[in-house]
Amino acid sequence: MHNDVARVLLNEQEIRDTVNRLGAEIRRDYEGKNPILISVLKGAFVFMADLARAMDIDCQIDFLMLSSYGTGSESSGQVQIMKDLSMSIEGRHVLAVEDILDSGRTLQYIMEILSARKPASVKLCTLLDKPERRTVQGIAADYVGQVIPDEFVVGYGLDYAEKYRYLPYIGVLKREVYQ
Ligand code: IMP
Ligand code: MG
């Protein structure tokens, strides 16, 4: 285990089981609909790669990069588009893929910009959900991997100050690392 990690929250097997369960649920709902999966960079890149393979149905892949956190562990509350989609989503079934749902501001913003482009439908899949942290009311994901406590986690794509994304597990970051 990495020295900066206090404990492992989800090990590799637990992540695999979670992703396979989500993949099966999404396949059931989207088979024959040729959805566009939109990964919200950078945190969701590992999850998206595994989820697309677990779904195992015809789909397309695109990326959206937003920024709200800078390098800290607390949201600045400001969300900006850093990189836009490469294709039109008009009339298409869209599934936004997020690493973690925290305050809900990022999801609220994603839903606003995607809905404005007139997709046939838009839903959200998040690997992790921290419901205790929600500040935006009425925001929820359609597919949730695991509900986790209010702790700062890293690994499996998730970072702190652009570090730890490569870790194969999801671990709780030691407080002294970010305080
Ligand atoms: P929200 O807009 O507050 O819901 O924040 C969502 C984004 O914040 C995620 O996509 C992550 O990039 C980041 N984030 C929130 N909590 C954590 C965490 O525990 N570890 C790493 N990144 C996090
Ligand atoms: Mg992030």
Side-chain angles (χ1 to χ4, degrees):
M1 199 173 68
H2 195 290
N3 249 334
D4 295 348
V5 171
R7 67 174 206 281
V8 174
L9 199 62
L10 292 173
N11 65 31
E12 290 179 67
Q13 185 61 51
E14 289 164 333
I15 293 173
R16 207 173 300 128
D17 291 346
T18 301
V19 173
N20 285 339
R21 175 177 54 76
L22 289 172
E25 268 178 53
I26 295 168
R27 181 186 324 124
R28 201 187 51 216
D29 295 349
Y30 283 89
E31 190 144 30
K33 291 186 174 172
N34 191 25
I36 302 182
L37 305 189
I38 297 180
S39 164
V40 183
L41 291 170
K42 299 173 194 173
F45 82 107
V46 180
F47 174 44
M48 167 87 136
D50 285 344
L51 183 68
R53 285 176 287 183
M55 283 168 54
D56 192 27
I57 57 170
D58 284 334
C59 66
Q60 289 175 317
I61 304 284
D62 207 349
F63 299 95
L64 185 65
M65 187 186 276
L66 300 177
S67 157
S68 67
Y69 273 66
T71 55
S73 66
E74 284 291 317
S75 176
S76 63
Q78 304 233 292
V79 186
Q80 288 178 299
I81 295 186
M82 308 291 285
K83 183 215 164 288
D84 206 340
L85 300 175
S86 69
M87 58 178 94
S88 167
I89 60 168
E90 193 173 339
R92 301 291 305 273
H93 294 286
V94 168
L95 184 64
V97 178
E98 255 282 40
D99 50 358
I100 188 165
L101 181 51
D102 190 43
S103 72
R105 283 192 212 96
T106 307
L107 175 56
Q108 184 180 45
Y109 187 70
I110 289 166
M111 288 309 203
E112 272 169 26
I113 56 172
L114 295 181
S115 304
R117 296 176 189 192
K118 304 192 178 13
S121 70
V122 48
K123 286 191 177 181
L124 181 100
C125 174
T126 186
L127 177 63
L128 304 174
D129 187 6
K130 285 195 228 174
E132 287 167 48
R133 296 262 307 168
R134 205 77 83 252
T135 60
V136 180
Q137 299 310 308
I139 285 289
D142 301 281
Y143 304 94
V144 176
Q146 296 287 338
V147 172
I148 65 165
D150 179 11
E151 289 178 294
F152 198 82
V153 294
V154 294
Y156 196 68
L158 290 145
D159 74 309
Y160 170 68
E162 295 300 329
K163 292 166 73 178
Y164 316 110
R165 293 193 196 276
Y166 67 93
L167 296 175
Y169 54 83
I170 293 168
V172 176
L173 192 63
K174 288 181 181 166
R175 286 195 169 270
E176 63 258 35
V177 178
Y178 58 92
Q179 275 177 349

